[in-house]
Amino acid sequence: MALHGKKAPSASQTRRVSRRVNDSMIGSHVERGSSARGRHAAGADRPARVDFSDGRRSRRADRGMVDQVDVGATSGESDSDYARRRARRSYAEEIQAKGRRRKMIFFGAVALLVVVVAAVAGTAAFFAWSDSQLSLGDSNAKEALTAPEEGAPYYALLSADLAKNTAAPSASDEAYLAVRIDEGARTLTFISLPPSVSVELSDGERHALRDATSVGGDAELLRAAGSLLGVQFAHFASTDAEGLASLVDLVGGVPVELSEEVDDPRAGIHVLAAGSQTLDGAQALTLLRAANYSDAMGMQAKMRALFTVNLAERATSGEGLSFPSVIADGAPFVSTDWTSGQLISLGDALSPLTEATVYAAVVPGRLTTSDEGEETYEVSDEDLAAMMETVNAGNSPESFEGNLANVDRSLVTVEVRNGSGIQGAAARCGELLTSAGYDVKSVGNVDDGTVYPETLVIYKDEAFEIAAKAIVSDLSAGRVVNGGDFYTFDTNVLVIIGTDWIG
C-alpha cells in the first residue's frame, strides 16, 4: 500500500490565508502612499498599505503574504500610553521582584537575630563574669540569709576588715553596718555595731562580735548580729582595706562633708580638715578607722554611714564609669551574695541617692575597760529595743523616746570630781564635756580621797537620767547611777572619774 504525503496548499489558498491575517492586524502599521486592492482599500480605520524596512518583505506584502510583524512597528497608542505600558513590569518581573524583597527581608531578619543573639550572649557573659567575681566564694554566709518578702524592706549586713596593710593595731579595725533598705520609700537606715559588743556565740560562750567569724564563719557573724538587733538578714557583703581603697579610687574619689577635723594617728598618717573634700582610697581608710571624735562612737557611725552612701552615689551617678562598669571592675574587691543584676536594680530603685532618706545610729550602750585593759561594749537592752522598734517602723533611729541625740546638752549642768588618783583627770574630763556642749560648773577632787575603780555618772532627779546616759555615751565610759540622798551635789549630774576612764 502506497503512502502519500499531505498535498501542499495552492497559491490561491495561500493568498486567502494571507489576506485573513492582514484583516486581523486592524491597521497597526505605518501607511504608505500607494493604494490597496479589494477589501484592503484605504479607509478611515485602516492604512492603505503596510511598510516594512526590508524591500523583499514589502513586495511579498503587496502580494498579500505577511511572514511576521516587526515588534518595533509603530502602534496607534499615544507616546505617554506607550511609555506607561513599557514602564509596567510584566507578571514574571513582578514575581521576581517580590522574591527579591522576600529574600532581603529574610536575610535582614537573620542579621538582626544574629545581632540580638550576640548582644544577649555578651550581656549574659558580662553578668556571669561579674557574678563569679562577686560571689561569696567559700564563705558560708548563705546559711544564715533569709529571702525578703516581695516589696518589703529588708536588712543587709556590711562588713569591712580595715586592718589589712596597716600597722595600727589599736585602730578601729573592724566595721559592721546593719542596713535597713526600703526601696519603695527610698530610705536607708544604718546601724553601727561596735566590734567589741559582747554576744553569745554557738559555742555557748560570750565573745566580742569581732570573734564570730573565727568561731563559725560569716554565718556565725550574721546570726550573732541578727540576734543582737532582733532582725534577719537578706544580704551580706564584705571587703577589706585594700579592696575598699581600690573601690574609692575606681570611682574617682568619694566626696564627704566633715563637721570636725579628723586627726587620729592610730587610723593613718592623713589629717583630714573639716569641711567639704573628696577622699582618695588612703584618706578614706583614715576616715573609717578614726575614733577620736568628740562623740567617738556616734560620730564614727555617722561617718561610716555617710561614706557608704556617698561611695554608692558616686558609683551609680554615671560620672566617669557607668554603674555596670563599676560593678564589673569592682567585683574582685567585694564578696557578696548580691548578683550584678540585683545591684543594678537596687541602684535604679534608690537613684539618685542624693535624694534618698538616710539615717544613721549606733547600738545604744557604753564602752567599758576591764582590769586587763580589754574593752567591751555593753549594750543598753532597753534602749536598743526601743530604737529597733522605731527603725522597723521606718522612722529615724534618733526619734525613739529617750534617745540620747535629743538631749539638749547646753541645759545640763555638770560637776566633775577626780576619784581616779590620776592628776589632771577631772580637768581633762571637764574639757571634753564642755566641748560636747554641757554646762560644766566645777572641777575638783573627791572629798574623802577614795579611789574609785569605775567612773560613775550620778543623777538625782529622774528627769536627768537621760542626760546622765548621754554623758556616758559622750565619754565612752562610766556607769549611770541614781544617787538618791547618798551623794551631795548642786548640779543636774555629778561625774566621779574612776581608774577605768582614759582621758
Side-chain angles (χ1 to χ4, degrees):
M1 181 176 176
L3 297 177
H4 298 281
K6 187 176 181 179
K7 184 178 181 181
S10 64
S12 60
Q13 289 174 329
T14 300
R15 283 194 295 273
R16 282 196 300 273
V17 171
S18 177
R19 282 194 295 270
R20 291 171 184 166
V21 170
N22 281 331
D23 286 343
S24 68
M25 301 309 292
I26 315 179
S28 60
H29 302 290
V30 178
E31 182 178 18
R32 287 204 314 189
S34 60
S35 61
R37 295 173 296 177
R39 288 181 302 168
H40 298 285
D45 58 351
R46 91 176 53 224
R49 187 175 182 179
V50 296
D51 186 20
F52 294 91
S53 59
D54 183 86
R56 180 172 173 273
R57 292 179 179 175
S58 296
R59 288 191 296 274
R60 289 172 62 83
D62 288 341
R63 294 194 298 270
M65 301 175 64
V66 178
D67 293 327
Q68 69 181 56
V69 178
D70 187 357
V71 295
T74 302
S75 69
E77 63 185 341
S78 67
D79 291 341
S80 59
D81 290 340
Y82 173 73
R84 282 194 294 271
R85 176 171 60 80
R86 290 297 300 266
R88 284 198 302 269
R89 289 174 174 168
S90 67
Y91 177 76
E93 290 175 329
E94 189 66 31
I95 293 298
Q96 291 174 349
K98 289 181 179 180
R100 286 194 296 269
R101 285 196 296 270
R102 284 194 296 268
K103 288 181 180 179
M104 291 175 63
I105 293 172
F106 172 76
F107 287 116
V110 170
L112 179 61
L113 180 62
V114 169
V115 172
V116 171
V117 170
V120 170
T123 302
F126 163 80
F127 282 114
W129 184 87
S130 297
D131 291 345
S132 68
Q133 298 296 307
L134 285 169
S135 67
L136 290 168
D138 58 359
S139 170
N140 63 348
K142 284 190 176 181
E143 297 175 8
L145 297 178
T146 302
E149 296 181 10
E150 184 70 25
Y154 55 90
Y155 282 87
L157 182 64
L158 311 181
S159 170
D161 180 1
L162 304 177
K164 296 291 182 66
N165 300 326
T166 177
S170 60
S172 298
D173 293 335
E174 299 88 6
Y176 304 118
L177 287 175
V179 190
R180 182 181 185 270
I181 303 172
D182 188 341
E183 296 183 17
R186 302 182 67 247
T187 300
L188 299 173
T189 304
F190 291 84
I191 303 170
S192 179
L193 286 71
S196 60
V197 65
S198 178
V199 293
E200 183 175 341
L201 301 181
S202 59
D203 61 0
E205 302 291 333
R206 295 198 71 82
H207 299 265
L209 183 62
R210 67 165 68 91
D211 298 331
T213 52
S214 62
V215 172
D218 292 331
E220 187 79 10
L221 173 64
L222 284 160
R223 293 189 187 102
S227 177
L228 176 66
L229 300 178
V231 302
Q232 292 181 319
F233 291 104
H235 294 287
F236 175 72
S238 65
T239 186
D240 56 25
E242 183 180 359
L244 201 52
S246 299
L247 288 173
V248 173
D249 293 335
L250 177 65
V251 299
V254 175
V256 294
E257 178 73 33
L258 302 179
S259 59
E260 60 183 273
E261 181 183 77
V262 178
D263 182 9
D264 188 346
R266 299 170 299 175
I269 62 174
H270 300 279
V271 176
L272 309 177
S276 300
Q277 55 187 295
T278 299
L279 307 181
D280 61 22
Q283 292 171 325
L285 292 178
T286 297
L287 174 68
L288 297 175
R289 293 182 185 131
N292 63 342
Y293 304 103
S294 56
D295 175 15
M297 304 207 68
M299 183 59 71
Q300 187 183 69
K302 291 179 180 179
M303 286 296 99
R304 288 177 175 178
L306 171 69
F307 170 83
T308 303
V309 171
N310 288 358
L311 174 61
E313 166 61 23
R314 190 76 167 179
T316 59
S317 65
E319 298 180 15
L321 295 175
S322 65
F323 188 33
S325 297
V326 171
I327 292 176
D329 294 343
F333 309 122
V334 179
S335 176
T336 182
D337 69 292
W338 264 307
T339 65
S340 302
Q342 288 173 329
L343 288 174
I344 292 173
S345 296
L346 178 60
D348 290 341
L350 298 176
S351 183
L353 279 169
T354 52
E355 298 178 7
T357 301
V358 179
Y359 300 127
V362 63
V363 170
R366 65 191 185 97
L367 191 64
T368 63
T369 306
S370 67
D371 294 338
E372 293 77 21
E374 183 178 354
E375 291 185 345
T376 301
Y377 191 83
E378 296 182 357
V379 176
S380 173
D381 295 332
E382 183 180 346
D383 288 344
L384 177 58
M387 185 184 79
M388 291 308 299
E389 182 179 354
T390 301
V391 170
N392 289 327
N395 299 319
S396 168
E398 297 182 350
S399 64
F400 76 93
E401 184 179 356
N403 181 23
L404 307 183
N406 293 332
V407 174
D408 188 345
R409 287 156 172 78
S410 65
L411 301 179
V412 179
T413 59
V414 183
E415 179 182 344
V416 182
R417 297 177 188 173
N418 187 358
S420 67
I422 302 172
Q423 186 175 0
R428 175 58 180 155
C429 179
E431 291 174 357
L432 290 176
L433 292 175
T434 299
S435 64
Y438 295 96
D439 183 7
V440 178
K441 296 297 187 182
S442 64
V443 174
N445 297 319
V446 293
D447 297 333
D448 56 6
T450 301
V451 175
Y452 287 74
E454 65 176 332
T455 299
L456 302 178
V457 181
I458 306 162
Y459 68 93
K460 290 182 179 180
D461 189 334
E462 293 291 339
F464 293 101
E465 179 183 5
I466 186 61
K469 291 181 178 180
I471 290 175
V472 168
S473 175
D474 293 338
L475 293 178
S476 296
R479 176 166 62 90
V480 176
V481 176
N482 185 342
D485 297 329
F486 188 78
Y487 296 91
T488 302
F489 55 95
D490 296 325
T491 55
N492 302 139
V493 179
L494 169 65
V495 178
I496 298 180
I497 302 298
T499 57
D500 64 334
W501 186 77
I502 301 176

